[in-house]
Structures are given as C-alpha cells and as structure tokens.
Amino acid sequence: MPAVSKGDGMRGLAVFISDIRNCKSKEAEIKRINKELANIRSKFKGDKALDGYSKKKYVCKLLFIFLLGHDIDFGHMEAVNLLSSNKYTEKQIGYLFISVLVNSNSELIRLINNAIKNDLSSRNPTFMCLALHCIANVGSREMAEAFAGEIPRILVAGDTMDSVKQSAALCLLRLYKASPDLVLMGEWTSRVVHLLNDQHMGVVTAAISLITCLSQKNPDEFKTCVSLAVSRLSRIVSSASTDLQDYTYYFVPAPWLSCKLLRLLQCYPPPEDGAVKGRLVECLETILNKAQEPPKSKKVQHSNAKNAILFEAISLIIHYDSEPNLLVRACNQLGQFLQHRETNLRYLALESMCTLASSEFSHEAVKTHIETVINALKTERDVSVRQRAADLLYAMCDRSNAKQIVAEMLSYLETADYSIREEMVLKVAILAEKYAVDYSWYVDTILNLIRIAGDYVSEEVWYRVIQIVINRDDVQGYAAKTVFEALQAPACHENMVKVGGYILGEFGNLIAGDPRSSPLVQFNLLHSKFHLCSVPTRALLLSAYIKFINLFPETKATIQEVLRSDSQIRNSDVELQQRAVEYLKLSSIASTDVLATVLEEMPPFPERESSILAKLKKKKGPGVVPVSELEDGKREGGELNGGGDRGPDSAMSASNASTPSPSADLLGLRSAAPVSAAAPSAGSLLVDVFSESGAALSPLLRLSEDLAPLCPRRDELLNKFVCKNNGVLFENQLLQIGIKSEYRQNLGRMYLFYGNKTSVQFASFSTTVSYPGELQSHILTPLPLNVQTKPVEPLVEGGAQVQQVLNIECITDFSEAPQLNIKFRYGGALQNITLKLPVTINKFFQPTEMAATDFFQRWKQLSQPQQEAQKIFKANHGMDTEVLKAKLLGLGTALLENVDPNPENYVCAGVVQTKSQQVGVLLRLEPNAQAQMYRLTLRSSKDTVSKRLCDLLAEQF
Amino acid sequence: MRFMLLFSRQGKLRLQKWYVPLGDQEKRRLGRELVQTILGRKAKMCSFLEWRDLKVVYKRYASLYFCCAIEEQDNELITLEVIHRYVELLDKYFGSVCELDIIFNFEKAYFILDEFLLGGEAQETSKKSVLKAIEQADQLQEVRAVYLPRPLIPLISQAF
C-alpha cells in the first residue's frame, strides 16, 4: 500500500534509506554509505552550484548517516548556508543539522550566530521559534554570550507571540543551566515571575520550568512566585475536568503544569502568609481526596497523570514536614499503593515512603506497613522494586523492629540478586550496630553475614565487628566462643578466618578453660585454615600466633616450630617471611615481661563515625542517605562503642595509645633479626595486627584522624549551629536534646526538646540558663543577652519528651554563648550536663540587599583598621559553590550577586540588630580553589562585631 | 530531562535527543549501554529504573522503546505521560504511526519533539497547539508524495 509522506518528501533520501535497510550485512551498509558520502562530497565540491532543494537533501542524508552512528566531517558549511535560505524547509533542515552535529569551529559559529540573529529579529514567529530551538538544542557558551542578553527581552515583551515566549523561556533555561554567569535576570525578574499569571497555559507551562530553576539558585529574588503559584494551582485543582480544554489530559486538568507548580513550591518553606498557606493546604487536601474518588477513565494515562500530581503533592508535604495530618494521610495513601496491581505504583510508593520514614510525624505510620514491605522484598519479581523495598526497610528500622528487619534482610541475602548484595550487607551491618541492645546479637548477626555473603562483606564490616568487640569487654568471651564455633565449619569464608584469627589472638584465653577449646585446639583450628588463605590473611594469622605465645606459653614450642618451618621463614612473600622471622626472634629472645608489653591486648578504639556508614555514603553518593540518618548513625555508633559518656579527651588518649609510636622502640629488636629485602615499613607491625601490608596503617586507625570525635567539643557544637537553627543539640545514652529556633530582629525564640531515651523516669529534672561571667559582671551593666524561660516539669517519664521555650533578647553585641545546665536523677545517680546554647551574634542578622555601587561605597566608609577583621585559612570542607551559598544564606545575611567583579567571590551584607544599636556588616569571602584556601574579610561599624563574626565564620568553610 | 532515546527491539536507535552537552563518543557509549540494559528487562517489569546516577523511565510501543533519562527530582509518572503524549503526536501527525514512519521521516520526528519538549522540559502540552504549529510549518512547504512500503504495525494500538 503506497503511503503519502507528509510535508515535502525527499525522494532521494527515501531511496537511500531503503537501500541501507536492504543491506544484508554491516559491510554492505558501510559500502553503501561510503558510496553515498563520496557522491555527496563530489556534489558539494562540484562546479555546478547546487539548488536549495539538493543541498537540503544531501545535508539530510549526512544527518541520517551520522545518526546511524558514523562520523561526519563535512557538510557543516552547506548546512549553515541553508540557514539563510528563505524557504522554511531548507532553513529547518539546516538548523536540525547544526543542532545535532555541534561544531566548535569559530568561523562557523560566527556564521551560525549571524543567521540566528537575523531570524530572531525577523518578527516572523515561525522563524524566531526555529532560531530559539536551535539555541536551546545547542546551548553552548558561545551562544549564551551572543544571545543571553536578547532572549529575556523577547520573553517579556508585550508583543511577543505566545509560542515564541514558550520557546524563549526554555531556551533561556538551557542557557542558564550551561552558563549561569551569563544569564542575568536582574530587571526582568518580576516580569518573569508574573508569567505565572499568563492567560495562556502553554506559556505558564514553559515559563515555570525557568522560574523553578532560577528560584533554586536565588530563592529570595523569586519568592513572590510562591503566592502566584499557589493561586494558579488552586484554580487548576478546583476546576472541572473539562474547563481547561486542550490542557486537560485524560480527564485530568493540566497535569504537567500541576506537577511543575508543586515542584516549584518545593524550593521554598511553607508560605508565611496564613491565607496563602490555607489555600495551599486546601489544594493538597483536594489532591489527596481525589485519589480516593473512583477513576473517571479506565485508561492508564488517566491514573498516571492523576498519580503524578499526587506523588508531587506528597513530595511537597514531606518537604514541608510540618503538617502531621497531611503526612499521615500521605502515608496511608502510599500504603494503599504498596499493594496496587501496577508495579510502577508499588515502586514509587516504596520510594516515596522512604523519605516519609525519616519524618518524626510519619515514622510510626510508615512502620505499620512493615509486613507488606517484607513481603515485597520476598515476592516482587523485579529487582529494582526489591531494591526499593530493601531501602524502605532500612529507612523504617528503629529499635523496636530492628531484630525483625535484620532477620528478614539476612534471610533475603541468601537469595538476593548479586547486584544489590554488597549494599544489603552494608545495610545489615549498620542496622545491627545501630540498634544492638545486646552485643551477642550484634556479633551473631555479623558472623551470619560473613557466613551467608562472605564475598560481599567488605573490610569495613569485619573491621567494625572487631573494633566493637575490643571496646566492649562484656561481649569478648561470647565473641571468642561464637567465632571458634563458626571456624569449625569445614568450608568457612576467608573473612571468617580473619575475624577468628584476630579475636582468638586477643581473647582466646577467655574460652581456653574449656578443654574443647583449649589453646592448642584453638591454634590447630586456625592453622588448619592457614594454607587455604591469601597472603594478607596469613599475615594476620601469623600475628595471631605470636599473640598466642604470649597468651598461652604452653603453645610456644608448637608455634615456634611452625614459624621456623621453611614454608614460613623462607616464604617467597616478603611480608610473610619478615613476620615469621621477626616473631620467631621475638618469641625466643624477649623476656616474658617484654613479650607481655609488646603483645598487650589492643587498647579500645577511639569513637568515630562508623566506617561502614561512610562506605555506604560513598557508595550511594552524597545526599542519598538522609541527614538525620547520618546523625543517628554517628550518635548511636558511638554509643555502641561504649561511650556516650566518654569525653573527647579520653577519645584522644585512646587514639594516641593505638598509634604506633609508643612501642616503636621495642622494635629495636628488629635489628637483631635478619633483614629481608623490603623491610622499612615494618615499624607498625607489632602494634597493629590489623595491618595487612605493613606499609599501611589499618584504615580504622587512619579514620580516627579524619573524623570528628563523637561528642563534639563545646565550640564545635556552636559551630554546627552557626548557619542553621534546628537539629540535635546533644545526645547521650540517657538524654537527647533537640532544638528549634527562630529569630526576628533582636528577638529570638528557642524551643528545647528534652527526650528521655530510657524506660525509667528522670526525677528532679531541672534546667538553668546562665550567661558566662554573669556573677562577676557589674550589676548596672546589663548582660548582652536577656534569656527568659519557665521551669520545666521535674519529672520526665521514660520515653517521654518535654519542651521548654526560651525567649531571647539581644541587648548588645556579644561573643560568649549562654550556657544551659541540666540536672536530673536517673536511677538514683545525679546527672549534670552543661552545654553552650547555640546563640551566636549572626542570629540577629537582618539581610540587606544593595547594588554594587552602594556596597563599595559603604565598604570604603568602613576602612579604619579596627573596623575590619580578616582571616586567611585552609578549606575544611569541599569548596562547592552551592554549599557555600547555602551556608552564607544560613548565616542570615543577604548574598549579593554581581557585586564583586570576580564571580568566584561572595559578598554579603546585613545588619546586626541589638536593642542598643544596629551594626551594619559587610562580608567578603574569596575562595582560592587551587590553594584550597579562603580569605574572609568582615567590615562593620563595631570592631567587636567584625572580630566575633570573623572568628565564627572561619570555622564554617 | 537529560536525554531521550527511541530504539527498536533489535537495539537500533531511531531517535536520540540530548539535553546535556556530551561528546559524540560518550553519547554512543551511553546509548549502547542503556539500550542493552532495557532490552535485558522482562516485559511487565517496572517502567522505572535507577541507572548510574540517573532515573530512567521507559515504555514499549509495538516494536519501539521510548526511553527518557531524567533528573533525581523529576516525576516518573508524568515522564511516562510525556512519552505517551509524544507517541500520540506522532500518531496523529502520521496517521497510525509505525516504526517505518519514524525511520523514513526522522527529521519530522525531531521537529515534532522540538515543538513539544525544549531543553528537556515540556514546552507545549496541548496536542492541538503542537500539531497546529507543525501543520503551519508544513504549509510553508511544497508537498510531494513519497511511496513507502508499509508493513504496518501502528504503534499506538500496541502499548506494552
């Protein structure tokens, strides 16, 4: 049946495509293509000028060949020629070629830009759109340089056709994404925001993508979009399904626009204006209600469009995290989807519920679906859905369901897809550690993990179990017994041998009383695995053996014999040979006392963030693990180490004890031993049984230097809250203190939440807030901060939380933070905790917007030396632009764009509001990415303010 | 959206639209890998998957797979309907569109896509408006007939 191709057909092209399709082999295809390329080349080079049609046809053929996956290195000039054709079809093909085969030849770019410029100024909407499409498709920096100034004008001009506006908006978006520094909205900002009110739904749909992107980068400048977006959304949500005519999609009014509106709102906190907020909540409720109504169509398009809006609304509800009622409704809705027959919905519900699980309002509601989720993990046929189920189980896990979830994950591991095993192992290890109430359970779980999925158990996981066993003396005996039993399996994983070797080497004595696990039995068991293991494991076993000699003198002869055997002392592996030689010598010449000192039990490891968690984070990339999750891990990981009550000082000393230096002298022995070929690294050998290569200190030890100690030093606590107002202020095994605060002008209100983490009542609970030096200060000089509060209830029940409100007034600028002292009785013992409250001078900032000229004028006015404070310091964190911006905004100042001539620099301005005076502050932060340094300069009318802010901020970057 | 690919069950790319700047080599490599990944999935599996650092949404219509790689914060379900709307546009324009239409008139497929999506975002979601724009453009062109062999399998009737 012959068919008519729409528009203008190009017969030659169709024939060529047919030929290609008829080629029987790849070779035949290449042959046909080469023939065509030769033909086109000769036509282009030929003397006869080609007419527009032929040129178009050949350019189109080249394009087709390129899209088949072949390289094309000519034809660009002919395509550019087509751009200036006044025949639409020729122009169109020219633009298509240019967009697909982007070329960096500068002469060509100049010609292309010229052609685009002509079309943009042609006032012919069809041509203008073509030109804008081309810019949007290429999106290069050269195009941004040429057109970023012109397009905003087209976008907001009153006489621009709707279709051109739509293209202009998205064209600008593409340029902004590629070269944000070149797209300056400035004076156009408010007119762009008002496109949300445009009559034409298509214009709104296109413009909102641009506005959303700009809002993410400059939320303050675009914040008027919130109320406009809410009213637009409200009109759509309340419209009947036919009101919006062609923008209704399968009975759903404007689904694309609705999703984008809800997405835009996620760039902002909940609206402050009560009326706007009320209207928005109403919209969200309507969307949730509609989900319960019977569908208006059986078509999947109807339900997809409707649910797309629903999921976006749920994302917004989760983003706000402040409406318990909506959160719980969202959770119930997702719960229904968990059992939906559509796989897509089950997938999305699992994914969305993961974020709900981290909200305090909906965590419990999420937990009620545990059986369904476990079932999904077991029965879903699609691995990506099972992955989501595993993620959700991980997210909903807490102390109450940890045993069940860990057991389910372990049993799933036995049959899990290879692609997700490693991640599952990490998750099980983290949960087991985080929620371990008794450590024997923890040890069992990890050993099970090694048994079931040994290949996927990374170093971090088995390091961690050893670390914890070392730090908890109540579990050492159990661990030794369990690992001894596990090693008796005929085929056990090498990771099990490592753990076994290490633990028996340290704590084998705890089970040696039982004749079934007497020293020699232990040794023979370990040694029976020796020959099946890799070099690093053998090295570890040798270290375990020397530890045995110290623990059990009766094994000395047997072990010395092993060390002396040719397979050890003449081992071709340098590391093994060296260990054998050194250990043999050590055991024969050192006195019992020296031996006991050198081979002493490992000191406790310093507390630190779980290395497993760090690994999971790394695996999933930053931002994947919710922040609260990480903080939890950090806190509770430490707890397991035995130490919420241990201060940073003891952590320091522990870490000193486990560095190699103190016992390095003892290795003077080494000089007596035969020196093997490569020995210089062996200094750490004896202290560090972990060390697998001698050259590298155990990662566990190295980690301790990188990561902050668990219980932050007091000033670190302050630093943590300089740029944010909410979070966990303090936590130990008994008590958690959460904080929420808000500031306006010179006033602040702080909510403290004291949570009793135990099941026992706290008695005589009392808190006092004081200002340091309060007692010594002159009675007539007012304190810089006035903090008022009411006493809290003296009894805090187990598991309960009490709230305390502090009203803070800033009288004058200050540099000391107020102190919070908490006293209570727990089981008879008096607990006394003193903390600094994170009230810092920057909390009383009022942001000030100003133009470049103003800024520099004021900067110059503040030029006296004492008005300026400056610090140059090394970057402590990454130098990512977005993070820096977020911090500077969190500081409370206005972040001024386009003020500093160097776009890498940041300048901010604000006024510190105190009761006695207002202090204007200007800030300039100059990053030097190459040197990883910053220069921070603050100028203000008051020297103490400059100085204090400079000190505070230097710790933030 | 980062990019959109149309490919056949045999893994042949029929259309590729990239909304992020990438080198030709990189595009070919990504395209090849993603096509293999999707063809390796069973029917009835979920339409969404995590692939590298992207979310991928795909749907099969008759012999063709339509596949979009979207950003972390993008909405999967509405992306499925982006695909469907595009199929509808092609269908309306060609009249019961089939894979051959897209092979022989690939440039049209690109033009229609540009009217609907620009820079990876929905530009105009009204079917009428998009088709009107394309029809207007066609009227600026001389009409010639091209005779194609058509072993017709309309896409739209065979959504999987």
Side-chain angles (χ1 to χ4, degrees):
Chain A
M1 181 176 70
V4 177
S5 156
K6 287 258 199 160
D8 78 319
M10 285 171 278
R11 189 157 172 74
L13 177 66
V15 170
F16 174 59
I17 296 176
S18 287
D19 283 359
I20 295 286
R21 286 177 52 73
N22 289 332
C23 287
K24 294 279 181 287
S25 66
K26 194 79 195 162
E27 289 72 35
E29 183 185 308
I30 291 174
K31 210 171 143 201
R32 178 68 184 85
I33 285 173
N34 285 336
K35 186 179 150 205
E36 193 64 38
L37 286 175
N39 172 40
I40 299 174
R41 211 176 252 128
S42 74
K43 293 279 193 230
F44 283 168
K45 280 204 180 131
D47 308 330
K48 219 172 72 189
L50 289 175
D51 62 9
Y53 170 79
S54 311
K55 221 183 267 174
K56 178 183 79 172
K57 185 178 74 187
Y58 292 130
V59 165
C60 213
K61 280 183 181 175
L62 286 178
L63 189 56
F64 180 80
I65 294 170
F66 177 78
L67 291 169
L68 276 181
H70 302 269
D71 291 324
I72 295 293
D73 54 6
F74 69 104
H76 296 86
M77 192 47 96
E78 285 73 15
V80 173
N81 287 342
L82 287 176
L83 297 183
S84 44
S85 162
N86 46 20
K87 279 210 175 128
Y88 180 77
T89 63
E90 291 167 14
K91 197 187 267 297
Q92 200 182 21
I93 295 289
Y95 272 126
L96 181 61
F97 185 94
I98 302 287
S99 324
V100 174
L101 279 104
V102 181
N103 194 294
S104 52
N105 176 319
S106 57
E107 176 57 14
L108 271 179
I109 289 173
R110 198 182 57 78
L111 291 171
I112 294 168
N113 282 356
N114 259 339
I116 292 178
K117 203 163 278 171
N118 288 338
D119 281 335
L120 281 184
S121 51
S122 69
R123 308 189 71 79
N124 173 337
T126 325
F127 285 8
M128 288 174 86
C129 281
L130 266 188
L132 289 168
H133 291 178
C134 178
I135 302 174
N137 283 327
V138 176
S140 66
R141 193 158 177 91
E142 290 86 359
M143 287 200 171
E145 277 163 0
F147 304 110
E150 175 65 13
I151 299 172
R153 219 182 301 276
I154 298 178
L155 176 60
V156 298
D159 57 349
T160 305
M161 298 272 291
D162 290 331
S163 61
V164 178
K165 275 190 193 168
Q166 286 166 275
S167 299
L170 293 175
C171 185
L172 203 53
L173 171 61
R174 175 74 197 262
L175 293 183
Y176 183 78
K177 279 186 186 165
S179 324
D181 53 314
L182 295 178
V183 179
L184 307 170
M185 296 314 293
E187 52 185 315
W188 310 115
T189 302
S190 102
R191 295 172 72 181
V192 170
V193 171
H194 276 87
L195 289 173
L196 287 177
N197 266 342
D198 202 283
Q199 296 267 312
H200 191 281
M201 293 281 275
V203 172
V204 189
T205 307
I208 192 169
S209 296
L210 173 67
I211 296 170
T212 304
C213 182
L214 292 169
S215 295
Q216 279 165 345
K217 309 277 168 150
N218 329 285
D220 275 348
E221 284 171 48
F222 284 82
K223 64 175 175 242
T224 48
C225 70
V226 172
S227 60
L228 294 180
V230 170
S231 62
R232 190 93 213 191
L233 180 68
S234 160
R235 268 179 283 158
I236 296 173
V237 168
S238 56
S239 64
S241 55
T242 49
D243 286 358
L244 301 173
Q245 294 163 352
D246 214 30
Y247 290 90
T248 296
Y249 179 83
Y250 291 86
F251 304 100
V252 181
W256 280 276
L257 183 51
S258 304
C259 286
K260 287 184 176 195
L261 285 163
L262 289 161
R263 174 86 209 112
L264 170 61
L265 291 170
Q266 286 169 61
C267 303
Y268 289 92
E272 281 166 16
D273 180 330
V276 176
K277 186 167 180 196
R279 206 162 173 202
L280 178 56
V281 169
E282 220 168 84
C283 287
L284 295 172
E285 277 168 349
T286 312
I287 293 170
L288 286 167
N289 291 342
K290 278 191 183 173
Q292 297 300 324
E293 289 169 9
K296 294 196 175 70
S297 154
K298 285 209 171 92
K299 289 249 164 77
V300 67
Q301 284 76 27
H302 171 72
S303 69
N304 278 350
K306 192 167 136 180
N307 291 328
I309 300 173
L310 178 62
F311 274 102
E312 209 59 66
I314 291 176
S315 296
L316 182 63
I317 292 170
I318 297 172
H319 167 76
Y320 286 164
D321 197 16
S322 59
E323 300 283 332
N325 174 37
L326 289 177
L327 279 163
V328 170
R329 283 193 67 186
C331 186
N332 293 340
Q333 182 60 55
L334 294 177
Q336 287 181 18
F337 285 154
L338 285 182
Q339 315 213 33
H340 202 280
R341 59 186 169 79
E342 280 263 335
T343 315
N344 289 345
L345 284 180
R346 295 198 303 275
Y347 176 96
L348 293 175
L350 288 165
E351 185 180 61
S352 193
M353 240 186 206
C354 253
T355 36
L356 266 183
S358 57
S359 162
E360 55 174 316
F361 299 113
S362 48
H363 183 79
E364 288 303 315
V366 170
K367 274 167 62 186
T368 59
H369 299 287
I370 184 165
E371 298 301 334
T372 319
V373 182
I374 287 172
N375 199 38
L377 186 66
K378 287 178 176 162
T379 59
E380 283 289 351
R381 291 196 300 179
D382 183 345
V383 55
S384 39
V385 186
R386 290 196 293 272
Q387 171 83 57
R388 290 284 85 84
D391 287 348
L392 178 53
L393 281 179
Y394 177 74
M396 68 161 71
C397 191
D398 63 18
R399 229 168 265 287
S400 71
N401 55 19
K403 283 203 173 166
Q404 186 188 9
I405 286 179
V406 167
E408 291 295 347
M409 284 179 139
L410 272 176
S411 80
Y412 174 62
L413 251 181
E414 307 210 28
T415 54
D417 317 76
Y418 294 107
S419 57
I420 68 173
R421 278 195 189 180
E422 191 186 352
E423 200 179 315
M424 290 285 291
V425 166
L426 288 175
K427 286 184 164 160
V428 169
I430 290 168
L431 293 178
E433 174 180 338
K434 196 167 159 188
Y435 299 117
V437 216
D438 66 272
Y439 294 93
S440 46
W441 174 73
Y442 170 75
V443 170
D444 285 343
T445 305
I446 301 296
L447 294 186
N448 262 327
L449 210 50
I450 296 176
R451 213 176 2 242
I452 295 168
D455 284 343
Y456 297 88
V457 173
S458 57
E459 285 181 340
E460 286 84 352
V461 173
W462 70 262
Y463 282 180
R464 190 72 180 159
V465 67
I466 286 174
Q467 200 182 0
I468 283 167
V469 169
I470 300 240
N471 285 11
R472 303 282 319 189
D473 43 18
D474 53 345
V475 75
Q476 288 159 356
Y478 181 80
K481 182 167 160 285
T482 322
V483 81
F484 176 79
E485 280 161 11
L487 282 174
Q488 286 174 327
C492 71
H493 196 273
E494 192 166 330
N495 280 336
M496 189 69 88
V497 179
K498 290 179 183 168
V499 175
Y502 198 102
I503 289 189
L504 293 180
E506 293 290 328
F507 309 115
N509 55 329
L510 299 176
I511 56 167
D514 187 328
R516 283 166 301 176
S517 51
S518 70
L520 264 178
V521 175
Q522 288 185 38
F523 171 74
N524 287 333
L525 180 60
L526 280 179
H527 199 54
S528 70
K529 315 281 179 193
F530 188 92
H531 301 282
L532 302 170
C533 291
S534 63
V535 170
T537 308
R538 290 188 194 188
L540 188 150
L541 285 176
L542 288 180
S543 298
Y545 297 169
I546 186 75
K547 288 230 160 191
F548 264 51
I549 293 185
N550 177 45
L551 287 182
F552 317 116
E554 66 264 41
T555 60
K556 185 169 171 180
T558 316
I559 291 175
Q560 280 184 332
E561 195 151 330
V562 168
L563 292 176
R564 206 177 289 124
S565 71
D566 278 357
S567 61
Q568 307 298 349
I569 212 157
R570 293 180 200 279
N571 196 297
S572 61
D573 184 272
V574 184
E575 178 67 31
L576 292 182
Q577 188 188 82
Q578 187 181 357
R579 288 197 188 207
V581 169
E582 288 179 1
Y583 291 161
L584 184 59
K585 210 72 188 170
L586 178 66
S587 67
S588 42
I589 61 174
S591 71
T592 333
D593 286 350
V594 171
L595 209 55
T597 316
V598 176
L599 300 171
E600 205 184 350
E601 199 176 291
M602 286 292 283
F605 286 87
E607 299 141 7
R608 65 177 69 88
E609 179 182 10
S610 157
S611 49
I612 312 175
L613 203 58
K615 166 129 180 174
L616 184 68
K617 271 190 278 179
K618 203 165 134 198
K619 196 172 157 53
K620 299 217 97 180
V624 175
V625 188
V627 176
S628 62
E629 196 67 23
L630 296 181
E631 287 174 352
D632 276 349
K634 214 184 283 181
R635 290 196 301 271
E636 312 211 7
E639 191 180 312
L640 191 56
N641 268 341
D645 47 350
R646 237 204 281 170
D649 288 344
S650 68
M652 283 305 292
S653 62
S655 107
N656 281 339
S658 54
T659 52
S661 49
S663 41
D665 281 349
L666 291 171
L667 290 169
L669 287 171
R670 198 157 57 91
S671 55
V675 179
S676 59
S681 59
S684 60
L685 214 122
L686 289 183
V687 227
D688 179 21
V689 185
F690 263 136
S691 159
E692 293 184 346
S693 66
L697 258 182
S698 144
L700 285 176
L701 299 180
R702 267 186 283 126
L703 261 177
S704 65
E705 291 147 22
D706 302 340
L707 298 171
L710 160 85
C711 185
R713 268 162 261 254
R714 298 213 174 100
D715 278 332
E716 278 175 24
L717 225 163
L718 270 189
N719 289 335
K720 184 175 153 196
F721 285 93
V722 167
C723 294
K724 63 175 195 174
N725 286 331
N726 306 328
V728 174
L729 182 63
F730 173 81
E731 178 154 23
N732 66 10
Q733 280 166 308
L734 308 177
L735 177 72
Q736 183 194 56
I737 308 178
I739 179 170
K740 273 193 179 179
S741 47
E742 49 196 31
Y743 293 89
R744 184 161 296 173
Q745 296 185 327
N746 71 323
L747 300 177
R749 179 168 295 167
M750 182 178 280
Y751 300 86
L752 293 170
F753 302 90
Y754 303 97
N756 180 345
K757 286 169 65 179
T758 72
S759 52
V760 185
Q761 186 188 61
F762 292 163
S764 322
F765 192 88
S766 74
T767 66
T768 39
V769 178
S770 59
Y771 195 77
E774 190 174 331
L775 292 175
Q776 291 85 36
S777 72
H778 200 279
I779 297 175
L780 291 177
T781 351
L783 290 170
L785 282 178
N786 181 9
V787 183
Q788 290 188 324
T789 182
K790 288 192 188 125
V792 282
E793 284 296 315
L795 291 181
V796 185
E797 294 301 333
Q801 192 183 60
V802 295
Q803 182 188 337
Q804 185 176 29
V805 186
L806 308 182
N807 287 309
I808 303 165
E809 187 185 14
C810 178
I811 310 293
T812 172
D813 74 275
F814 62 98
S815 34
E816 286 286 352
Q819 282 178 348
L820 172 70
N821 178 261
I822 303 136
K823 289 198 182 89
F824 60 93
R825 285 190 177 278
Y826 167 70
L830 179 70
Q831 307 286 327
N832 189 342
I833 298 162
T834 303
L835 300 167
K836 282 191 181 179
L837 282 175
V839 183
T840 44
I841 182 72
N842 64 297
K843 300 291 178 194
F844 303 95
F845 254 138
Q846 193 98 319
T848 319
E849 292 287 351
M850 58 179 77
T853 45
D854 284 345
F855 183 88
F856 285 111
Q857 197 186 348
R858 289 180 204 198
W859 185 263
K860 280 192 201 109
Q861 281 165 2
L862 297 170
S863 58
Q864 290 172 35
Q866 70 273 23
Q867 290 174 326
E868 184 184 274
Q870 189 174 71
K871 276 198 178 181
I872 295 172
F873 52 94
K874 206 143 187 73
N876 287 317
H877 308 280
M879 299 182 81
D880 177 56
T881 322
E882 293 315 311
V883 177
L884 283 178
K885 283 188 178 172
K887 280 192 178 166
L888 288 168
L889 288 171
L891 180 69
T893 51
L895 182 57
L896 305 177
E897 301 277 11
N898 312 320
V899 167
D900 200 298
N902 179 350
E904 305 297 326
N905 294 345
Y906 301 89
V907 291
C908 303
V911 176
V912 173
Q913 307 272 350
T914 74
K915 194 180 178 193
S916 58
Q917 70 178 131
Q918 301 193 334
V919 186
V921 178
L922 302 176
L923 175 157
R924 189 174 195 196
L925 180 69
E926 298 161 89
N928 179 342
Q930 211 167 12
Q932 290 286 304
M933 302 281 286
Y934 289 103
R935 180 163 68 190
L936 172 70
T937 316
L938 278 133
R939 288 189 176 183
S940 81
S941 48
K942 200 160 177 197
D943 51 353
T944 46
V945 173
S946 305
K947 168 115 189 23
R948 180 61 185 151
L949 282 170
C950 193
D951 290 345
L952 278 174
L953 277 178
E955 300 298 324
Q956 294 299 314
F957 299 106
Chain B
M1 189 185 294
R2 303 274 188 94
F3 58 86
M4 185 184 212
L5 303 177
L6 265 66
F7 53 90
S8 68
R9 270 193 303 160
Q10 292 72 39
K12 288 223 184 251
L13 269 185
R14 297 302 182 204
L15 178 142
Q16 41 176 322
K17 189 79 186 175
W18 301 84
Y19 297 112
V20 281
L22 288 174
D24 290 338
Q25 294 294 329
E26 182 70 4
K27 287 179 188 170
R28 279 179 203 161
R29 197 175 55 81
L30 283 177
R32 213 169 34 234
E33 283 178 25
L34 183 55
V35 167
Q36 287 316 316
T37 307
I38 291 181
L39 289 177
R41 288 172 63 85
K42 298 190 191 82
K44 295 290 166 202
M45 273 189 169
C46 178
S47 308
F48 319 127
L49 65 146
E50 279 184 343
W51 186 73
R52 296 160 178 265
D53 58 334
L54 295 173
K55 294 203 288 196
V56 171
V57 176
Y58 72 95
K59 187 163 177 170
R60 187 177 142 192
Y61 288 83
S63 55
L64 266 189
Y65 284 87
F66 290 69
C67 161
C68 299
I70 58 177
E71 318 264 343
E72 174 63 30
Q73 72 272 11
D74 286 344
N75 187 311
E76 291 95 339
L77 285 173
I78 207 73
T79 308
L80 265 185
E81 296 319 298
V82 163
I83 291 174
H84 188 75
R85 171 101 316 168
Y86 182 48
V87 174
E88 283 185 347
L89 288 166
L90 293 171
D91 192 63
K92 192 90 181 166
Y93 180 78
F94 289 107
S96 296
V97 68
C98 65
E99 191 181 339
L100 274 185
D101 289 316
I102 297 172
I103 296 173
F104 280 93
N105 302 284
F106 67 96
E107 78 282 10
K108 293 284 183 228
Y110 281 94
F111 297 148
I112 296 172
L113 187 59
D114 271 354
E115 289 295 334
F116 174 40
L117 299 180
L118 193 60
E121 298 281 337
Q123 171 175 226
E124 177 54 84
T125 60
S126 149
K127 193 153 72 173
K128 249 187 229 159
S129 305
V130 173
L131 289 171
K132 208 172 82 193
I134 295 288
E135 298 288 347
Q136 268 174 0
D138 278 349
Q139 277 165 19
L140 296 170
Q141 316 184 357
E142 61 271 59
V143 178
R144 289 176 192 210
V146 171
Y147 292 90
L148 301 178
R150 281 171 76 100
L152 281 176
I153 314 170
L155 290 178
I156 198 99
S157 59
Q158 297 198 16
F160 284 84

